Amino acid sequence: LEFAVQMSCQGCADAVRAALDGAPDVKLLELRPQEQSVLVETTAAAERVRELLENSGCRAVLKGMGGS
């Protein structure tokens, strides 16, 4: 899943990383604060991952998904 996440500083990126680190079913693949992009691999529903991202204090929108 790829999300657009409003990250305005390194603190935002750190908060996003911490929010996802606490979820056992979500693997962070890429965190790109400059592009405001987060790429994850997960078995959880997209809405659940969005909620985790927004718990970091940043707004998040699903950009896309793909399968293996």
Side-chain angles (χ1 to χ4, degrees):
L1 301 176
E2 184 175 5
F3 289 86
V5 182
Q6 289 182 332
M7 295 177 277
S8 57
C9 63
Q10 186 58 43
C12 295
D14 293 342
V16 166
R17 183 181 304 277
L20 295 178
D21 282 347
D25 53 349
V26 179
K27 179 182 175 187
L28 178 61
L29 299 178
E30 288 184 25
L31 178 62
R32 298 182 304 227
Q34 264 65 29
E35 291 85 8
Q36 297 195 356
S37 176
V38 175
L39 188 64
V40 299
E41 186 176 286
T42 184
T43 55
E47 182 65 18
R48 168 76 177 121
V49 179
R50 187 191 62 75
E51 287 173 1
L52 287 170
L53 290 168
E54 291 198 341
N55 284 344
S56 72
C58 303
R59 295 204 42 177
V61 174
L62 178 64
K63 283 175 57 175
M65 59 175 53
S68 56

